[in-house]
Amino acid sequence: MIVGIVGLGLIGGSMAIDLKRRGFAEKVLGVEADSLHASAARSIGLADETVSLEECVDRSDIVVVSVPVGAAVGIVCQVLDRFQQAGAKDKIVIDTCSTKEQITLATHYHPCRGQFVSTHPMAGTEYSGPWAAMPNLFDGRACIFANPGESAPKALKTIEDLYDVLNMRPIYMDASQHDVHTAYVSHISHVTSFALALTVLDKEKDEKHIFDLASGGFSSTVRLAKSSADMWVPILTQNRDNVLHVMDTYIEKMQEFRRAIADFDEDAIRGLITDANRIKKIIR
Amino acid sequence: MIVGIVGLGLIGGSMAIDLKRRGFAEKVLGVEADSLHASAARSIGLADETVSLEECVDRSDIVVVSVPVGAAVGIVCQVLDRFQQAGAKDKIVIDTCSTKEQITLATHYHPCRGQFVSTHPMAGTEYSGPWAAMPNLFDGRACIFANPGESAPKALKTIEDLYDVLNMRPIYMDASQHDVHTAYVSHISHVTSFALALTVLDKEKDEKHIFDLASGGFSSTVRLAKSSADMWVPILTQNRDNVLHVMDTYIEKMQEFRRAIADFDEDAIRGLITDANRIKKIIR
C-alpha cells in the first residue's frame, strides 16, 4: 500500500513512522507546503519522497490529510475532486482534524463522499512540526470515526485496519457530538492553559524571579500553552459555539470559587473542592 | 539527631523516609491525630514510634510541623510555648506550609521565635496521607526559607543542613513575597483545575461517555483537582487577597479570549496564543 501524507507534522509524521515500520505502508509519499518542514521531514526520514499534492493523490492508495483544520477542509475537497476527475474509485482520503462538523458538512454532498473517512486520532503532545513526530504516539489511545455511515463500507474497513495497525481503539460518533465532547475534554483545557500562561507572564514584568518557584503542578496545568496558534486558531473558531458554551460554564465556576474565597466561606470552598475531587474516579 | 514529625502525610512522611535512610535522623518520632493515618504510618514504617505532641517535643531535637496550614499556626505556637516552659534552648521547630505570611506573623513576637524556621519545600503530588509518602520526593526541588532573618543563625544553619540532605535548593524571601509568588505559580493552578473538573463533571450528567475522549492534555490540566480540601481550604483562605487578585487577572484573560472567539477575530486569538507561547522559554 502506498500512503500519501499531507502535512508531516506531529500527527502526520508520527503516522508515517509507525505505518512504515509496522509494514502497513510499503512507501510513504509526503506533501509539505513549508519548505523548511519538507527538508526536515526528508532528513529525519519521515517520507520516502516529498511530492506535490497532485502527484501524491495520483500515486497513493490512501491520502492522509494532517494539516491544521482551517486548511484541511479545502484540501480534502481538492483530493476528492481529483479522485472524481481521474475516476479513481478505490482511493481513500482521511483527515485527522480535532473538529469534525465543518469538514463533514463541506464534503457531505461530494459525489466521492464514500471515499472520505473522517477521523480524529486522540493523541498528541504540545509540540508540533516534523521534529515532534515520534514512534508509538497512538498506541492504546482512542480514534474517533465521525459520521462513519457516510463512508463506503470498504473504505471504512481499510481505515479501521490502518488505525488497528496504530494500536488505536475505534469510537464511532456523529460529527456534532464529537465537537461537543472535545470542547469539554480537550479544547477548554487549551484555553485555560493559555489564560494561565498569560496571567503569570504578565506578572513576570514586575517580578523577574516568579518562575523560580514554579511547581510541578504549575507546569502540568500550563504545559498546553505551548501549543501552536496555527493549529488552535482554526479549532477554536470552527468549534466556536461549543467552546463558548464550555467557557461560560467554566467562568461561572471560577466566579463561584471567587465568591467563596472572598467571603472566607470555608464550607463553600470545601464543597466545591470535594465536588471537583470526583474527577479521581475518572482520571488516573 | 532525633526528628519529630507532626503529620505523617505526603510531605512529613516523605521527609521521614529520606531523613532516616540518609542518616540525618537516627530516630523519627511521629505525631498523627488521625488514628487510621497513625496505624498506616506505623505499618508502612514511616516513624519508629508514634507519640503525643508533648512527648514528641520533649524527646526530639527538631520538630517538623507538616499539617494543613490552618492547624499548623496553632501547633507551631504550642511547640514554641513548650520550648519556653522547658527552657529547651537548642530545640528547633519548622513548618512546611504553602502559605507563610500568617504563620510568620503569629510567631513574630514569641520569645522563642529564633528557634522557629519557616520553610516551604516546593515538592508534592496531588495525593495525600501516609500512603502518598515516597522516597526522593524533594530531590532537586526548591525550598523557600521565609523571613530567615528572624531565625537564630544556628537554628537556620541546622535546617539548611536538613534540606541539603533532602537535596533541595534553598531560596530566601520575605513571607509576603512568598505568598504573592505561590498565588501565581501554584495556588491559581489548583483553582483552575478544580473549576475545570467541576465544568466537565457537570456535563457528565447529560453525556455519560464524555470522558471516553479525555486526552492526555485534559488529564494534565485537571490532575490537581484531585487535591484534598483539608489542605487547600486553609491555603486559599489564608492567602485570600493574593489569590483573589490572581483570579481576577485570570478571569479577565478568559474574557478576552471569549470575546476574540465570539467575534471570530482570528488575529486576536492568534495574538493571545502567541503571547501565551512565551511560556516555552520558562517551562520545559
Side-chain angles (χ1 to χ4, degrees), chain B residues 14-49:
Chain B
S14 301
M15 277 200 181
I17 294 170
D18 281 343
L19 292 178
K20 188 80 188 284
R21 73 191 181 114
R22 295 180 186 173
F24 185 91
E26 68 200 62
K27 182 171 264 214
V28 171
L29 302 178
V31 178
E32 187 43 79
D34 181 301
S35 64
L36 173 63
H37 284 203
S39 38
R42 274 192 307 268
S43 85
I44 298 169
L46 297 177
D48 297 297
E49 295 173 48

PDB file of all heavy atoms in Angstrom, chain B residues 14-49:
ATOM      1  N   SER B  14       7.279  11.681  53.577  1.00  0.00           N
ATOM      2  CA  SER B  14       8.392  11.602  52.631  1.00  0.00           C
ATOM      3  C   SER B  14       9.681  12.110  53.269  1.00  0.00           C
ATOM      4  O   SER B  14      10.767  11.570  53.021  1.00  0.00           O
ATOM      5  CB  SER B  14       8.079  12.412  51.361  1.00  0.00           C
ATOM      6  OG  SER B  14       6.917  11.924  50.741  1.00  0.00           O
ATOM      7  N   MET B  15       9.562  13.148  54.113  1.00  0.00           N
ATOM      8  CA  MET B  15      10.740  13.615  54.861  1.00  0.00           C
ATOM      9  C   MET B  15      11.248  12.521  55.782  1.00  0.00           C
ATOM     10  O   MET B  15      12.452  12.283  55.888  1.00  0.00           O
ATOM     11  CB  MET B  15      10.355  14.817  55.736  1.00  0.00           C
ATOM     12  CG  MET B  15      10.374  16.112  54.995  1.00  0.00           C
ATOM     13  SD  MET B  15      10.500  17.421  56.243  1.00  0.00           S
ATOM     14  CE  MET B  15      10.482  18.810  55.149  1.00  0.00           C
ATOM     15  N   ALA B  16      10.314  11.865  56.475  1.00  0.00           N
ATOM     16  CA  ALA B  16      10.688  10.796  57.405  1.00  0.00           C
ATOM     17  C   ALA B  16      11.524   9.744  56.679  1.00  0.00           C
ATOM     18  O   ALA B  16      12.583   9.324  57.157  1.00  0.00           O
ATOM     19  CB  ALA B  16       9.434  10.165  58.005  1.00  0.00           C
ATOM     20  N   ILE B  17      11.055   9.341  55.517  1.00  0.00           N
ATOM     21  CA  ILE B  17      11.752   8.292  54.760  1.00  0.00           C
ATOM     22  C   ILE B  17      13.196   8.701  54.453  1.00  0.00           C
ATOM     23  O   ILE B  17      14.149   7.975  54.755  1.00  0.00           O
ATOM     24  CB  ILE B  17      11.008   7.989  53.425  1.00  0.00           C
ATOM     25  CG1 ILE B  17       9.642   7.368  53.698  1.00  0.00           C
ATOM     26  CG2 ILE B  17      11.850   7.079  52.519  1.00  0.00           C
ATOM     27  CD1 ILE B  17       8.744   7.251  52.451  1.00  0.00           C
ATOM     28  N   ASP B  18      13.368   9.886  53.852  1.00  0.00           N
ATOM     29  CA  ASP B  18      14.702  10.266  53.377  1.00  0.00           C
ATOM     30  C   ASP B  18      15.633  10.727  54.503  1.00  0.00           C
ATOM     31  O   ASP B  18      16.845  10.492  54.435  1.00  0.00           O
ATOM     32  CB  ASP B  18      14.607  11.326  52.277  1.00  0.00           C
ATOM     33  CG  ASP B  18      14.235  10.698  50.923  1.00  0.00           C
ATOM     34  OD1 ASP B  18      14.373   9.462  50.805  1.00  0.00           O
ATOM     35  OD2 ASP B  18      13.820  11.444  50.020  1.00  0.00           O
ATOM     36  N   LEU B  19      15.082  11.374  55.528  1.00  0.00           N
ATOM     37  CA  LEU B  19      15.952  11.812  56.639  1.00  0.00           C
ATOM     38  C   LEU B  19      16.498  10.599  57.390  1.00  0.00           C
ATOM     39  O   LEU B  19      17.625  10.605  57.875  1.00  0.00           O
ATOM     40  CB  LEU B  19      15.193  12.737  57.596  1.00  0.00           C
ATOM     41  CG  LEU B  19      14.820  14.110  57.015  1.00  0.00           C
ATOM     42  CD1 LEU B  19      14.014  14.922  58.043  1.00  0.00           C
ATOM     43  CD2 LEU B  19      16.073  14.895  56.581  1.00  0.00           C
ATOM     44  N   LYS B  20      15.696   9.561  57.449  1.00  0.00           N
ATOM     45  CA  LYS B  20      16.124   8.343  58.145  1.00  0.00           C
ATOM     46  C   LYS B  20      17.165   7.583  57.296  1.00  0.00           C
ATOM     47  O   LYS B  20      18.260   7.285  57.767  1.00  0.00           O
ATOM     48  CB  LYS B  20      14.896   7.459  58.399  1.00  0.00           C
ATOM     49  CG  LYS B  20      15.129   6.247  59.277  1.00  0.00           C
ATOM     50  CD  LYS B  20      15.130   6.603  60.750  1.00  0.00           C
ATOM     51  CE  LYS B  20      15.565   5.439  61.636  1.00  0.00           C
ATOM     52  NZ  LYS B  20      14.514   4.432  61.779  1.00  0.00           N
ATOM     53  N   ARG B  21      16.820   7.284  56.048  1.00  0.00           N
ATOM     54  CA  ARG B  21      17.712   6.408  55.274  1.00  0.00           C
ATOM     55  C   ARG B  21      18.985   7.122  54.858  1.00  0.00           C
ATOM     56  O   ARG B  21      19.980   6.491  54.537  1.00  0.00           O
ATOM     57  CB  ARG B  21      16.981   5.767  54.092  1.00  0.00           C
ATOM     58  CG  ARG B  21      16.674   6.689  52.949  1.00  0.00           C
ATOM     59  CD  ARG B  21      15.733   6.061  51.934  1.00  0.00           C
ATOM     60  NE  ARG B  21      15.520   7.033  50.870  1.00  0.00           N
ATOM     61  CZ  ARG B  21      15.908   6.897  49.606  1.00  0.00           C
ATOM     62  NH1 ARG B  21      16.478   5.786  49.202  1.00  0.00           N
ATOM     63  NH2 ARG B  21      15.709   7.849  48.728  1.00  0.00           N
ATOM     64  N   ARG B  22      18.953   8.476  54.857  1.00  0.00           N
ATOM     65  CA  ARG B  22      20.176   9.203  54.511  1.00  0.00           C
ATOM     66  C   ARG B  22      20.985   9.564  55.753  1.00  0.00           C
ATOM     67  O   ARG B  22      21.957  10.321  55.687  1.00  0.00           O
ATOM     68  CB  ARG B  22      19.834  10.456  53.706  1.00  0.00           C
ATOM     69  CG  ARG B  22      19.227  10.111  52.348  1.00  0.00           C
ATOM     70  CD  ARG B  22      18.865  11.318  51.514  1.00  0.00           C
ATOM     71  NE  ARG B  22      18.168  10.908  50.293  1.00  0.00           N
ATOM     72  CZ  ARG B  22      17.610  11.739  49.425  1.00  0.00           C
ATOM     73  NH1 ARG B  22      17.657  13.047  49.644  1.00  0.00           N
ATOM     74  NH2 ARG B  22      16.998  11.284  48.355  1.00  0.00           N
ATOM     75  N   GLY B  23      20.542   9.062  56.920  1.00  0.00           N
ATOM     76  CA  GLY B  23      21.356   9.176  58.131  1.00  0.00           C
ATOM     77  C   GLY B  23      21.255  10.484  58.894  1.00  0.00           C
ATOM     78  O   GLY B  23      21.958  10.682  59.889  1.00  0.00           O
ATOM     79  N   PHE B  24      20.386  11.403  58.442  1.00  0.00           N
ATOM     80  CA  PHE B  24      20.256  12.663  59.194  1.00  0.00           C
ATOM     81  C   PHE B  24      19.521  12.411  60.507  1.00  0.00           C
ATOM     82  O   PHE B  24      19.883  12.957  61.548  1.00  0.00           O
ATOM     83  CB  PHE B  24      19.487  13.694  58.353  1.00  0.00           C
ATOM     84  CG  PHE B  24      19.391  15.060  58.984  1.00  0.00           C
ATOM     85  CD1 PHE B  24      20.351  16.039  58.732  1.00  0.00           C
ATOM     86  CD2 PHE B  24      18.332  15.377  59.840  1.00  0.00           C
ATOM     87  CE1 PHE B  24      20.265  17.303  59.319  1.00  0.00           C
ATOM     88  CE2 PHE B  24      18.242  16.638  60.428  1.00  0.00           C
ATOM     89  CZ  PHE B  24      19.220  17.601  60.165  1.00  0.00           C
ATOM     90  N   ALA B  25      18.492  11.591  60.472  1.00  0.00           N
ATOM     91  CA  ALA B  25      17.724  11.260  61.679  1.00  0.00           C
ATOM     92  C   ALA B  25      18.094   9.862  62.137  1.00  0.00           C
ATOM     93  O   ALA B  25      17.982   8.910  61.358  1.00  0.00           O
ATOM     94  CB  ALA B  25      16.231  11.332  61.385  1.00  0.00           C
ATOM     95  N   GLU B  26      18.540   9.745  63.395  1.00  0.00           N
ATOM     96  CA  GLU B  26      18.767   8.377  63.882  1.00  0.00           C
ATOM     97  C   GLU B  26      17.427   7.754  64.283  1.00  0.00           C
ATOM     98  O   GLU B  26      17.237   6.551  64.233  1.00  0.00           O
ATOM     99  CB  GLU B  26      19.768   8.366  65.047  1.00  0.00           C
ATOM    100  CG  GLU B  26      19.262   9.002  66.319  1.00  0.00           C
ATOM    101  CD  GLU B  26      20.385   9.416  67.258  1.00  0.00           C
ATOM    102  OE1 GLU B  26      21.214  10.284  66.867  1.00  0.00           O
ATOM    103  OE2 GLU B  26      20.436   8.869  68.373  1.00  0.00           O
ATOM    104  N   LYS B  27      16.497   8.624  64.660  1.00  0.00           N
ATOM    105  CA  LYS B  27      15.163   8.136  65.036  1.00  0.00           C
ATOM    106  C   LYS B  27      14.111   9.130  64.580  1.00  0.00           C
ATOM    107  O   LYS B  27      14.341  10.345  64.610  1.00  0.00           O
ATOM    108  CB  LYS B  27      15.118   7.973  66.570  1.00  0.00           C
ATOM    109  CG  LYS B  27      13.812   7.436  67.106  1.00  0.00           C
ATOM    110  CD  LYS B  27      13.889   7.101  68.584  1.00  0.00           C
ATOM    111  CE  LYS B  27      14.173   5.629  68.777  1.00  0.00           C
ATOM    112  NZ  LYS B  27      13.539   5.039  69.956  1.00  0.00           N
ATOM    113  N   VAL B  28      12.976   8.635  64.114  1.00  0.00           N
ATOM    114  CA  VAL B  28      11.859   9.509  63.752  1.00  0.00           C
ATOM    115  C   VAL B  28      10.674   9.218  64.675  1.00  0.00           C
ATOM    116  O   VAL B  28      10.207   8.080  64.770  1.00  0.00           O
ATOM    117  CB  VAL B  28      11.428   9.306  62.276  1.00  0.00           C
ATOM    118  CG1 VAL B  28      10.126  10.053  61.994  1.00  0.00           C
ATOM    119  CG2 VAL B  28      12.519   9.776  61.320  1.00  0.00           C
ATOM    120  N   LEU B  29      10.227  10.266  65.386  1.00  0.00           N
ATOM    121  CA  LEU B  29       9.024  10.153  66.205  1.00  0.00           C
ATOM    122  C   LEU B  29       7.875  10.796  65.438  1.00  0.00           C
ATOM    123  O   LEU B  29       8.014  11.926  64.948  1.00  0.00           O
ATOM    124  CB  LEU B  29       9.213  10.897  67.528  1.00  0.00           C
ATOM    125  CG  LEU B  29      10.380  10.446  68.407  1.00  0.00           C
ATOM    126  CD1 LEU B  29      10.467  11.322  69.660  1.00  0.00           C
ATOM    127  CD2 LEU B  29      10.197   8.977  68.802  1.00  0.00           C
ATOM    128  N   GLY B  30       6.783  10.101  65.320  1.00  0.00           N
ATOM    129  CA  GLY B  30       5.651  10.653  64.577  1.00  0.00           C
ATOM    130  C   GLY B  30       4.515  11.071  65.491  1.00  0.00           C
ATOM    131  O   GLY B  30       4.278  10.447  66.528  1.00  0.00           O
ATOM    132  N   VAL B  31       3.828  12.144  65.122  1.00  0.00           N
ATOM    133  CA  VAL B  31       2.595  12.546  65.797  1.00  0.00           C
ATOM    134  C   VAL B  31       1.517  12.561  64.728  1.00  0.00           C
ATOM    135  O   VAL B  31       1.689  13.205  63.681  1.00  0.00           O
ATOM    136  CB  VAL B  31       2.725  13.956  66.405  1.00  0.00           C
ATOM    137  CG1 VAL B  31       1.408  14.373  67.074  1.00  0.00           C
ATOM    138  CG2 VAL B  31       3.878  14.005  67.395  1.00  0.00           C
ATOM    139  N   GLU B  32       0.436  11.843  64.980  1.00  0.00           N
ATOM    140  CA  GLU B  32      -0.593  11.762  63.945  1.00  0.00           C
ATOM    141  C   GLU B  32      -1.948  11.743  64.641  1.00  0.00           C
ATOM    142  O   GLU B  32      -2.280  10.804  65.345  1.00  0.00           O
ATOM    143  CB  GLU B  32      -0.331  10.503  63.100  1.00  0.00           C
ATOM    144  CG  GLU B  32      -1.177  10.302  61.878  1.00  0.00           C
ATOM    145  CD  GLU B  32      -1.432  11.530  61.018  1.00  0.00           C
ATOM    146  OE1 GLU B  32      -0.550  11.912  60.230  1.00  0.00           O
ATOM    147  OE2 GLU B  32      -2.559  12.107  61.124  1.00  0.00           O
ATOM    148  N   ALA B  33      -2.721  12.818  64.442  1.00  0.00           N
ATOM    149  CA  ALA B  33      -4.017  12.973  65.122  1.00  0.00           C
ATOM    150  C   ALA B  33      -5.024  11.938  64.610  1.00  0.00           C
ATOM    151  O   ALA B  33      -5.849  11.426  65.374  1.00  0.00           O
ATOM    152  CB  ALA B  33      -4.550  14.382  64.913  1.00  0.00           C
ATOM    153  N   ASP B  34      -4.944  11.616  63.345  1.00  0.00           N
ATOM    154  CA  ASP B  34      -5.896  10.690  62.738  1.00  0.00           C
ATOM    155  C   ASP B  34      -5.434   9.256  63.015  1.00  0.00           C
ATOM    156  O   ASP B  34      -4.322   8.863  62.635  1.00  0.00           O
ATOM    157  CB  ASP B  34      -5.926  10.992  61.227  1.00  0.00           C
ATOM    158  CG  ASP B  34      -6.910  10.119  60.462  1.00  0.00           C
ATOM    159  OD1 ASP B  34      -6.767   8.871  60.490  1.00  0.00           O
ATOM    160  OD2 ASP B  34      -7.807  10.684  59.822  1.00  0.00           O
ATOM    161  N   SER B  35      -6.301   8.465  63.689  1.00  0.00           N
ATOM    162  CA  SER B  35      -5.825   7.153  64.156  1.00  0.00           C
ATOM    163  C   SER B  35      -5.580   6.195  62.984  1.00  0.00           C
ATOM    164  O   SER B  35      -4.673   5.360  63.040  1.00  0.00           O
ATOM    165  CB  SER B  35      -6.806   6.554  65.167  1.00  0.00           C
ATOM    166  OG  SER B  35      -8.033   6.308  64.518  1.00  0.00           O
ATOM    167  N   LEU B  36      -6.360   6.319  61.927  1.00  0.00           N
ATOM    168  CA  LEU B  36      -6.125   5.476  60.743  1.00  0.00           C
ATOM    169  C   LEU B  36      -4.768   5.804  60.118  1.00  0.00           C
ATOM    170  O   LEU B  36      -3.965   4.909  59.807  1.00  0.00           O
ATOM    171  CB  LEU B  36      -7.242   5.683  59.713  1.00  0.00           C
ATOM    172  CG  LEU B  36      -7.032   4.993  58.360  1.00  0.00           C
ATOM    173  CD1 LEU B  36      -6.982   3.475  58.508  1.00  0.00           C
ATOM    174  CD2 LEU B  36      -8.121   5.404  57.369  1.00  0.00           C
ATOM    175  N   HIS B  37      -4.506   7.110  59.957  1.00  0.00           N
ATOM    176  CA  HIS B  37      -3.209   7.537  59.422  1.00  0.00           C
ATOM    177  C   HIS B  37      -2.069   7.062  60.322  1.00  0.00           C
ATOM    178  O   HIS B  37      -1.024   6.631  59.833  1.00  0.00           O
ATOM    179  CB  HIS B  37      -3.160   9.068  59.278  1.00  0.00           C
ATOM    180  CG  HIS B  37      -3.918   9.584  58.108  1.00  0.00           C
ATOM    181  ND1 HIS B  37      -3.656  10.793  57.518  1.00  0.00           N
ATOM    182  CD2 HIS B  37      -4.945   9.034  57.400  1.00  0.00           C
ATOM    183  CE1 HIS B  37      -4.490  10.980  56.499  1.00  0.00           C
ATOM    184  NE2 HIS B  37      -5.282   9.931  56.420  1.00  0.00           N
ATOM    185  N   ALA B  38      -2.290   7.149  61.643  1.00  0.00           N
ATOM    186  CA  ALA B  38      -1.238   6.732  62.585  1.00  0.00           C
ATOM    187  C   ALA B  38      -0.905   5.259  62.378  1.00  0.00           C
ATOM    188  O   ALA B  38       0.271   4.879  62.281  1.00  0.00           O
ATOM    189  CB  ALA B  38      -1.673   6.998  64.022  1.00  0.00           C
ATOM    190  N   SER B  39      -1.932   4.394  62.285  1.00  0.00           N
ATOM    191  CA  SER B  39      -1.582   2.976  62.151  1.00  0.00           C
ATOM    192  C   SER B  39      -1.003   2.685  60.769  1.00  0.00           C
ATOM    193  O   SER B  39      -0.091   1.858  60.651  1.00  0.00           O
ATOM    194  CB  SER B  39      -2.748   2.043  62.508  1.00  0.00           C
ATOM    195  OG  SER B  39      -3.965   2.555  62.064  1.00  0.00           O
ATOM    196  N   ALA B  40      -1.496   3.404  59.750  1.00  0.00           N
ATOM    197  CA  ALA B  40      -0.898   3.225  58.422  1.00  0.00           C
ATOM    198  C   ALA B  40       0.572   3.642  58.444  1.00  0.00           C
ATOM    199  O   ALA B  40       1.437   2.934  57.926  1.00  0.00           O
ATOM    200  CB  ALA B  40      -1.658   4.045  57.376  1.00  0.00           C
ATOM    201  N   ALA B  41       0.862   4.781  59.064  1.00  0.00           N
ATOM    202  CA  ALA B  41       2.241   5.280  59.110  1.00  0.00           C
ATOM    203  C   ALA B  41       3.139   4.282  59.839  1.00  0.00           C
ATOM    204  O   ALA B  41       4.275   4.044  59.429  1.00  0.00           O
ATOM    205  CB  ALA B  41       2.288   6.642  59.800  1.00  0.00           C
ATOM    206  N   ARG B  42       2.607   3.689  60.917  1.00  0.00           N
ATOM    207  CA  ARG B  42       3.406   2.683  61.628  1.00  0.00           C
ATOM    208  C   ARG B  42       3.611   1.453  60.762  1.00  0.00           C
ATOM    209  O   ARG B  42       4.715   0.921  60.673  1.00  0.00           O
ATOM    210  CB  ARG B  42       2.724   2.294  62.950  1.00  0.00           C
ATOM    211  CG  ARG B  42       3.061   3.222  64.126  1.00  0.00           C
ATOM    212  CD  ARG B  42       2.605   2.611  65.461  1.00  0.00           C
ATOM    213  NE  ARG B  42       1.204   2.224  65.437  1.00  0.00           N
ATOM    214  CZ  ARG B  42       0.194   3.018  65.817  1.00  0.00           C
ATOM    215  NH1 ARG B  42       0.437   4.256  66.252  1.00  0.00           N
ATOM    216  NH2 ARG B  42      -1.045   2.597  65.758  1.00  0.00           N
ATOM    217  N   SER B  43       2.548   1.004  60.106  1.00  0.00           N
ATOM    218  CA  SER B  43       2.695  -0.238  59.336  1.00  0.00           C
ATOM    219  C   SER B  43       3.583  -0.033  58.107  1.00  0.00           C
ATOM    220  O   SER B  43       4.302  -0.932  57.691  1.00  0.00           O
ATOM    221  CB  SER B  43       1.324  -0.838  58.986  1.00  0.00           C
ATOM    222  OG  SER B  43       0.826  -0.246  57.813  1.00  0.00           O
ATOM    223  N   ILE B  44       3.552   1.172  57.508  1.00  0.00           N
ATOM    224  CA  ILE B  44       4.455   1.459  56.385  1.00  0.00           C
ATOM    225  C   ILE B  44       5.885   1.638  56.898  1.00  0.00           C
ATOM    226  O   ILE B  44       6.850   1.466  56.156  1.00  0.00           O
ATOM    227  CB  ILE B  44       3.986   2.733  55.618  1.00  0.00           C
ATOM    228  CG1 ILE B  44       2.593   2.541  55.012  1.00  0.00           C
ATOM    229  CG2 ILE B  44       4.973   3.150  54.535  1.00  0.00           C
ATOM    230  CD1 ILE B  44       1.939   3.810  54.483  1.00  0.00           C
ATOM    231  N   GLY B  45       6.002   1.993  58.186  1.00  0.00           N
ATOM    232  CA  GLY B  45       7.337   2.187  58.768  1.00  0.00           C
ATOM    233  C   GLY B  45       7.853   3.605  58.625  1.00  0.00           C
ATOM    234  O   GLY B  45       9.063   3.849  58.606  1.00  0.00           O
ATOM    235  N   LEU B  46       6.935   4.579  58.512  1.00  0.00           N
ATOM    236  CA  LEU B  46       7.373   5.969  58.357  1.00  0.00           C
ATOM    237  C   LEU B  46       8.008   6.502  59.640  1.00  0.00           C
ATOM    238  O   LEU B  46       8.934   7.309  59.596  1.00  0.00           O
ATOM    239  CB  LEU B  46       6.198   6.868  57.948  1.00  0.00           C
ATOM    240  CG  LEU B  46       5.553   6.567  56.589  1.00  0.00           C
ATOM    241  CD1 LEU B  46       4.363   7.488  56.341  1.00  0.00           C
ATOM    242  CD2 LEU B  46       6.575   6.713  55.458  1.00  0.00           C
ATOM    243  N   ALA B  47       7.493   6.065  60.783  1.00  0.00           N
ATOM    244  CA  ALA B  47       8.033   6.546  62.056  1.00  0.00           C
ATOM    245  C   ALA B  47       8.454   5.349  62.906  1.00  0.00           C
ATOM    246  O   ALA B  47       7.882   4.265  62.791  1.00  0.00           O
ATOM    247  CB  ALA B  47       6.980   7.362  62.790  1.00  0.00           C
ATOM    248  N   ASP B  48       9.474   5.568  63.745  1.00  0.00           N
ATOM    249  CA  ASP B  48       9.881   4.497  64.659  1.00  0.00           C
ATOM    250  C   ASP B  48       8.844   4.300  65.750  1.00  0.00           C
ATOM    251  O   ASP B  48       8.607   3.185  66.211  1.00  0.00           O
ATOM    252  CB  ASP B  48      11.243   4.835  65.263  1.00  0.00           C
ATOM    253  CG  ASP B  48      12.322   4.896  64.190  1.00  0.00           C
ATOM    254  OD1 ASP B  48      12.572   3.844  63.559  1.00  0.00           O
ATOM    255  OD2 ASP B  48      12.875   5.979  63.943  1.00  0.00           O
ATOM    256  N   GLU B  49       8.253   5.428  66.183  1.00  0.00           N
ATOM    257  CA  GLU B  49       7.193   5.378  67.195  1.00  0.00           C
ATOM    258  C   GLU B  49       6.198   6.475  66.869  1.00  0.00           C
ATOM    259  O   GLU B  49       6.579   7.502  66.318  1.00  0.00           O
ATOM    260  CB  GLU B  49       7.739   5.720  68.597  1.00  0.00           C
ATOM    261  CG  GLU B  49       8.726   4.767  69.179  1.00  0.00           C
ATOM    262  CD  GLU B  49       9.293   5.344  70.496  1.00  0.00           C
ATOM    263  OE1 GLU B  49       8.508   5.806  71.354  1.00  0.00           O
ATOM    264  OE2 GLU B  49      10.526   5.344  70.632  1.00  0.00           O
TER     265      GLU B  49
END
